[in-house]
Amino acid sequence: MPHWRRSPDSLVTFRVLWRLLALLFCLQVAFAGVAQEVSRSAVRTSEPDEAYTIRVPPEAIAYQRWGRVIGLSSTALHLMGLYLLLHCGGACRLRDTVYRWLRCSPPQYGHPPALRACALYFLLYSLVALTWRFPPTLARFGLEHAYGFSRQSLPGLLGDTLLSLLFGMALVPVLAGGYWLHWRLPRTGWVVAWLALLPLLVFQSLIYPVFIAPAYHRYTPLPAGELREQVMELARRAGIPDARILVEDTSRRTRHVNAYVTGIGPTARIVFNDTALRILPRDQLLAMTGHEIGHYVEGHLRVHLMAAAIGAGVFLWGAWRILPLCIRRYGPRWGVQHTYDLAGLPAVLLVLSGFLLLQSPLESALSRTLERRADAYGLRLTGLREATARLFVGFAERDYTDPDPPRWLHFWFGTHPPLKERIRFTLTFDASVR
Ligand SMILES: [Zn+2]
């Protein structure tokens, strides 16, 4: 029997796996739903003060609508692009090109590909993938320009795209290692792969702010002055007097206002966009600082990292079983000869993208919970309820963030509680209740 023909056993395993995945998915959707309801119940029911009612400019509605269209079509295009690359034979043509350029024949049947073949295939794939990944990026660029937010030039956007492509090449050793482990340990290799991936995840979070982010932006310490004194006083009260507070030259790219926490351990830092320093009044800046200090003190990045580690384990466990079944079932149609055939890479990425999409509600629910905690921490630390509420009103009126996004979209992708909810939470916040 040819190797790719399905045996009854593999069909049963396939069905069991799909059922297991469906069950896992339903469980996590239910879990995310509960988290959302718990988060909503934390908000008192009284209506906020008139002064904090958001007046959404009419053009913001169109901006938000287009933003949603671009975001959703970007996801759909990516999944479709990967599928078409496999279905139309592009994936195996890329593989043939790789071995022709390297002047060598593919590895002996059933053996994993060499690192240099993986690297060249991944590079060619990344260039081909630009055909479906770049149009949404360009559309987002156009939208941001049309509404006067973007300050980036087209060459600047192309430079960023090229940089991301280069950083993406760091995945090549991970991919080659995965192929090798699957070849050596076809049943249990996912555990070894997972254990090897954990320090890499930590390493990535550690080096991101010092090696990767500076390739896109310039970071400088918050200048000395009254604001720095006030920010450091908040940091001292929060028990982090040595916290690194930096300013990012965001205004080279956009007018949007933001601040964030990045890095872990020795590279942890609070970063203000320079746009925030220019636009926001002092009390709103301090309110924003309180929120970011909340993320920093409560170690929310570590929580995200732990969630990513668990997610990586679930993905590897599933991919280890699903991919060989997929290749056995659809390989002959796609021209993919076996699990370690480089032409199967888009199938690996398709499974990964599908997994990321399916786990999105859970990831978003976790993010919203941590954002709510950071809001509460900031309010307890600063006591700036009105300034915090005005900060949120500004996000909707100035930056056109949808204050009340569609429920399903928010459930699936919403990383922060809706602004309307955050304002109500802020104005009714009781610092004595923990
Ligand atoms: Zn936050």
Side-chain angles (χ1 to χ4, degrees), residues 259 291-292 295 370-371 374-375 416 422:
H291 173 95
E292 298 307 329
H295 283 310
L370 297 180
E371 290 300 332
D375 280 348
H416 290 62
R422 289 177 88 181

Coordinates of all heavy atoms in Angstrom, one line a residue, residues 259 291-292 295 370-371 374-375 416 422, ligand 1:
A259 N 1.4 54.0 25.8 CA 2.5 53.7 26.7 C 2.4 52.2 26.9 O 1.4 51.6 26.7 CB 2.4 54.5 28.0
H291 N -1.3 53.1 35.5 CA -1.7 51.8 34.8 C -0.5 51.0 34.4 O -0.5 49.8 34.7 CB -2.5 52.2 33.6 CG -2.9 51.1 32.7 ND1 -4.1 50.4 32.8 CD2 -2.3 50.4 31.7 CE1 -4.2 49.4 31.9 NE2 -3.1 49.4 31.3
E292 N 0.5 51.6 33.8 CA 1.7 50.9 33.4 C 2.5 50.3 34.6 O 3.0 49.2 34.5 CB 2.6 51.7 32.5 CG 1.9 52.2 31.2 CD 1.3 51.2 30.4 OE1 1.8 50.0 30.4 OE2 0.3 51.4 29.7
H295 N 1.0 47.1 35.5 CA 1.5 45.9 34.7 C 2.9 45.5 35.2 O 3.1 44.3 35.3 CB 1.6 46.3 33.2 CG 0.3 46.4 32.5 ND1 -0.6 45.4 32.5 CD2 -0.2 47.4 31.7 CE1 -1.6 45.7 31.7 NE2 -1.4 46.9 31.2
L370 N -6.0 41.2 32.8 CA -4.8 41.9 33.3 C -4.9 43.4 33.1 O -4.5 44.2 33.9 CB -3.6 41.4 32.5 CG -3.3 39.9 32.8 CD1 -2.0 39.4 32.0 CD2 -3.1 39.6 34.2
E371 N -5.6 43.9 32.0 CA -5.8 45.3 31.8 C -6.7 45.9 32.9 O -6.4 47.0 33.4 CB -6.4 45.6 30.4 CG -5.5 45.3 29.2 CD -4.2 46.1 29.2 OE1 -4.2 47.2 29.8 OE2 -3.2 45.6 28.7
A374 N -4.6 46.3 35.9 CA -3.7 47.4 35.8 C -4.5 48.7 36.0 O -4.0 49.6 36.7 CB -3.0 47.4 34.5
D375 N -5.7 48.8 35.5 CA -6.6 50.0 35.7 C -6.8 50.2 37.2 O -6.6 51.3 37.7 CB -7.9 49.8 35.0 CG -7.9 50.1 33.5 OD1 -6.8 50.7 33.1 OD2 -8.8 49.8 32.8
H416 N -8.3 44.8 25.4 CA -8.6 45.7 26.5 C -10.2 45.7 26.7 O -10.9 45.5 25.8 CB -8.2 47.1 26.2 CG -6.7 47.3 26.2 ND1 -5.9 46.6 25.3 CD2 -5.8 48.0 26.9 CE1 -4.6 46.9 25.5 NE2 -4.6 47.8 26.5
R422 N -14.5 50.9 30.7 CA -13.4 51.3 31.5 C -13.7 52.7 32.2 O -13.3 52.9 33.3 CB -12.1 51.5 30.7 CG -11.5 50.1 30.2 CD -10.3 50.3 29.3 NE -9.1 50.4 30.0 CZ -7.9 50.5 29.4 NH1 -7.8 50.7 28.1 NH2 -6.8 50.6 30.2
Ligands
ZN1 ZN -2.3 48.1 29.8

